[in-house]
Amino acid sequence: MSTAAGIPSVTRLEAPLAEKAHLARPDVNPSFTKGIFLGQLNESLAFPFPELSAEESESLRLVLESFRAFAAGAIDTKKIDHDARFPEEVRLGMHELGMMGIIIPEAYGGFGASAKVANRIFAEIGATDPALAVYFGAHQSIGCKGIVLFGTEAQKRKYLPGCASGQTVAAFCLTEPGSGSDAQAMTTSATPSADGSHYVLNGTKIWISNAGYASLFTVFAKVPVEVDGKRKERVTAFIVDAHAAGVSLGRLEEKMGIKASDTRTVTFDGVRVPAEDRLGEVGQGFKIALEILNSGRLGLAAGSARGTRRIMREAIAHAKQREQFGRPIGSFEMIQRKIALHAAECYALDSAVMLTAGMVDRGGVDYSLETAACKIFGSELAFRASNEALQIAGGIGYSKEYPYEQAVRDSRIMLIFEGTNEVLRALIALSGLQQPGERLKAVSKALKDPLHSLGALGAYAATRAKRAVVKPTFTQVHPALAEEAELVATLVHDLALGVEATLMEHGAKIIERQFHQERMANAAIDVYLATAVLSRTTWEIEKAGGGDPGAVQPHLDCARIFIPMAMRRARRHVRALRKNQDERMKAVAEQALATGDLGPEAPTDE
């Protein structure tokens, strides 16, 4: 194929994989994280650890070298932050490098990069300038991703070549003033014309990244349909010309961080959208939005990992040269603790991102909870690392002359982007609870007619008894990690029993028990990250010959810090399913909400 200026061809996905990677087949490849809620360890999804082919490695190396050379001469992240805008040469330079088509299939002018390659490239851009990563990600991770995944052949041929070259910049329009994570509450409408030739789009979308640059929007709106003689509204996706009559943009939002990202309100007033630009079928919009966001979340996690590494490198350099009491501050254990913990957690995040990207590339795997877990863990790590790096820097960290304060501001949005971490925790918990809930529902039904359901009740009792005494085991972990693997397997066993007991206590009311949802999600996240570490460290040992694990001692050290630490956290969450202060927490919070103040005032305020 011909290559875009500056970057050689990246290894593309084979056509069947490129077309079907988003179509999960849980019957063949059940979700790893959903299995955790049942006390199962699906090792086939976690082992062996995925790796780049020689061709992918070479392509990635050349892409990164090209981007770094461009960035060194063109990207001044401090100036970009100050001016709150990209110089045109930066934006157009990204286009000329071919960066805007990294994930677009080769057949439509892109590179068709695997998820492993694409996320590493996204991470590099994010570590260089977070606002530029938003420009890049809003365009292809979510802006035109729906066309890649769900577009007709005609739609792909019409729109994707322009997106791949950067001639067409895309944006994603989902959030509304009254509809954020609750997409079903949207009010934007798309009414079909009488002759069926077009839809009339009306509504307002807010917080739209790339709005000022975009010439193409993926827009979600409700379409009226008739079901059993009743009028219903179904969320549907559309490809919309950003320059069509009736499209207007609000003012540029002034933000805390990622200031150069062009974020605006977009209003649609009687916009005519040709029927052939509907994306997917009527009513498929919610599913399409979820699939698109699943992809984008992994990119955010990858960017968080590289961002963590970048700002901690600044802090480490400072800790080595800054002296107090006659010695470098890096020699003090409180500083060393910060560095060591972030090294272990970054190792875990790198491992989980790569493992999840391997699931994406495999195709047919339900990886929605894994991308959510990576995004939650990664965004919180990057924000925490930025704050700790600023703390290591001390007073200079608070100065705009140094990179720390910008890192804090830029990283904060990650906990909100593409589903707040609170909503994603609820997603992980409630999705994970579905199968245990169905199992208990079947038992409840059987108990209503026990004489005719002895088989079902007996099978459940036997399975329940087995789960109570038999815990899952890892069979593919290197013996050097046997102790750590045992910690993870024990936690999976305890979590499954805790989940079942909690469901039996609360039943359908669990949907309102978000204290418990958060605990389950946090435990599941730590289990997934720990499993990724086991897989990656096993791979590293075997790659080094498999004999002396000491040959990869830095990997072992990170694994042996992270896994026990994560499992201690997870155990606390599982125990709190039984013993907690939830009612007291609710009482204090509800009192504060009623009075508008935190609680009893200080004695001097009375």
Side-chain angles (χ1 to χ4, degrees):
M1 61 165 279
S2 60
T3 59
I7 291 185
S9 175
V10 178
T11 303
R12 68 181 179 87
L13 298 175
E14 292 300 319
L17 178 55
E19 293 168 2
K20 299 178 182 178
H22 64 290
L23 300 177
R25 294 191 58 196
D27 54 326
V28 178
N29 292 314
S31 164
F32 180 88
T33 300
K34 288 180 182 177
I36 289 171
F37 284 77
L38 292 167
Q40 300 170 354
L41 284 170
N42 190 346
E43 283 188 283
S44 65
L45 286 174
F47 296 85
F49 192 71
E51 57 185 308
L52 296 175
S53 67
E55 187 179 1
E56 283 179 311
S57 294
E58 177 63 11
S59 295
L60 178 58
R61 182 184 67 81
L62 294 172
V63 170
L64 294 180
E65 285 180 356
S66 298
F67 175 74
R68 286 168 181 162
F70 163 71
I75 299 176
D76 182 344
T77 189
K78 187 183 297 185
K79 187 176 189 307
I80 288 172
D81 177 65
H82 177 272
D83 296 345
R85 193 157 189 84
F86 305 121
E88 276 300 283
E89 57 266 27
V90 169
R91 208 170 60 83
L92 298 179
M94 290 282 287
H95 301 184
E96 291 170 6
L97 278 172
M99 302 298 284
M100 304 298 274
I102 291 294
I103 66 169
I104 293 174
E106 187 179 21
Y108 309 104
F111 294 115
S114 67
K116 296 188 292 292
V117 168
N119 281 288
R120 179 61 184 85
I121 295 169
F122 184 94
E124 189 70 20
I125 298 170
T128 303
D129 187 273
L132 191 60
V134 174
Y135 177 72
F136 172 83
H139 167 70
Q140 59 185 320
S141 291
I142 56 176
C144 61
K145 184 71 172 181
I147 303 174
V148 173
L149 295 178
F150 296 96
T152 64
E153 183 62 24
Q155 288 171 339
K156 291 177 180 179
R157 294 201 176 279
K158 180 179 179 181
Y159 294 111
L160 292 182
C163 290
S165 69
Q167 182 179 352
T168 299
V169 176
F172 183 80
C173 298
L174 177 63
T175 304
E176 298 183 4
S179 167
S181 297
D182 181 11
Q184 293 289 359
M186 72 173 58
T187 60
T188 297
S189 63
T191 306
S193 62
D195 61 2
S197 65
H198 64 274
Y199 292 82
V200 179
L201 186 64
N202 287 285
T204 298
K205 302 291 184 176
I206 61 172
W207 302 115
I208 306 306
S209 299
N210 283 359
Y213 297 121
S215 50
L216 180 152
F217 293 131
T218 297
V219 182
F220 296 85
K222 286 186 172 178
V223 173
V225 297
E226 188 173 295
V227 179
D228 297 328
K230 296 182 179 179
R231 179 188 167 96
K232 303 284 186 180
E233 293 181 321
R234 296 289 184 259
V235 178
T236 305
F238 296 90
I239 305 166
V240 179
D241 179 357
H243 303 301
V247 177
S248 61
L249 303 181
R251 63 175 178 81
L252 189 65
E253 297 287 351
E254 296 182 18
K255 304 181 296 296
M256 171 182 172
I258 56 165
K259 292 183 177 181
S261 173
D262 190 299
T263 310
R264 303 173 190 254
T265 293
V266 181
T267 300
F268 304 95
D269 184 7
V271 178
R272 291 168 61 99
V273 181
E276 59 267 24
D277 283 340
R278 188 187 68 217
L279 187 60
E281 298 301 319
V282 171
Q284 280 192 322
F286 194 57
K287 174 186 175 183
I288 290 173
L290 289 177
E291 292 283 357
I292 293 170
L293 292 171
N294 283 341
S295 169
R297 287 171 188 144
L298 189 57
L300 292 180
S304 295
R306 294 306 297 181
T308 293
R309 195 173 291 274
R310 177 176 182 249
I311 198 61
M312 287 305 296
R313 282 174 180 164
E314 297 280 353
I316 290 167
H318 177 79
K320 289 167 66 176
Q321 62 85 26
R322 172 64 167 167
E323 291 194 359
Q324 291 288 281
F325 308 105
R327 54 196 280 204
I329 65 171
S331 67
F332 294 112
E333 289 183 350
M334 287 189 192
I335 302 299
Q336 291 180 345
R337 181 180 183 276
K338 296 178 191 296
I339 294 170
L341 291 181
H342 283 88
E345 292 192 317
C346 195
Y347 183 86
L349 179 56
D350 283 336
S351 304
V353 168
M354 187 69 168
L355 181 61
T356 309
M359 293 180 185
V360 176
D361 288 338
R362 184 185 302 192
V365 177
D366 178 3
Y367 52 78
S368 58
L369 301 193
E370 289 70 30
T371 59
C374 288
K375 188 268 185 180
I376 293 169
F377 187 89
S379 61
E380 292 174 1
L381 172 61
F383 185 57
R384 189 165 61 248
S386 298
N387 279 277
E388 290 286 35
L390 189 154
Q391 186 72 15
I392 291 171
I396 69 168
Y398 208 65
S399 168
K400 283 186 174 290
E401 184 179 349
Y402 297 89
Y404 306 100
E405 64 86 29
Q406 183 184 339
V408 171
R409 289 186 289 103
D410 284 343
S411 61
R412 184 59 184 85
I413 188 60
M414 304 292 279
L415 285 73
I416 299 171
F417 261 160
E418 299 191 19
T420 67
N421 286 4
E422 290 77 15
V423 166
L424 292 183
R425 282 185 165 94
L427 168 71
I428 290 172
L430 295 176
S431 297
L433 287 170
Q434 286 176 354
Q435 287 178 281
E438 288 298 321
R439 176 186 289 167
L440 289 174
K441 187 188 297 183
V443 172
S444 177
K445 182 179 179 180
L447 286 172
K448 295 176 181 178
D449 187 12
L451 292 179
H452 293 89
S453 307
L454 291 177
L457 292 171
Y460 170 76
T463 302
R464 177 67 177 80
K466 183 179 179 181
R467 280 202 309 279
V469 297
V470 179
K471 66 184 178 186
T473 57
F474 285 100
T475 63
Q476 299 185 50
V477 173
H478 191 276
L481 294 161
E483 186 175 335
E484 288 74 23
E486 176 72 8
L487 289 175
V488 179
T490 299
L491 194 284
V492 171
H493 177 251
D494 292 345
L495 175 61
L497 294 178
V499 163
E500 187 172 77
T502 304
L503 279 172
M504 292 177 71
E505 178 182 357
H506 298 288
K509 293 181 180 178
I510 191 65
I511 198 167
E512 297 295 335
R513 299 302 301 265
Q514 290 195 345
F515 291 137
H516 283 336
Q517 291 172 28
E518 185 176 35
R519 292 174 183 125
M520 294 175 191
N522 285 341
I525 290 166
D526 272 332
V527 167
Y528 181 61
L529 270 290
T531 301
V533 169
L534 289 172
S535 180
R536 187 230 179 129
T537 312
T538 293
W539 173 71
E540 296 284 1
I541 295 171
E542 292 172 349
K543 191 171 63 168
D548 177 20
V552 293
Q553 193 62 46
H555 295 271
L556 280 171
D557 287 340
C558 285
R560 287 171 175 165
I561 290 173
F562 178 78
I563 294 175
M565 176 176 64
M567 292 306 97
R568 284 193 297 271
R569 285 194 302 254
R571 280 198 301 273
R572 287 195 294 271
H573 290 306
V574 172
R575 284 198 298 268
L577 292 173
R578 291 179 285 104
K579 188 175 182 180
N580 53 66
Q581 297 207 51
D582 289 358
E583 293 307 313
R584 188 168 287 114
M585 293 270 282
K586 283 183 69 66
V588 170
E590 289 171 358
Q591 173 71 11
L593 289 165
T595 63
D597 198 357
L598 273 179
E601 293 184 342
T604 54
D605 293 336
E606 294 180 0

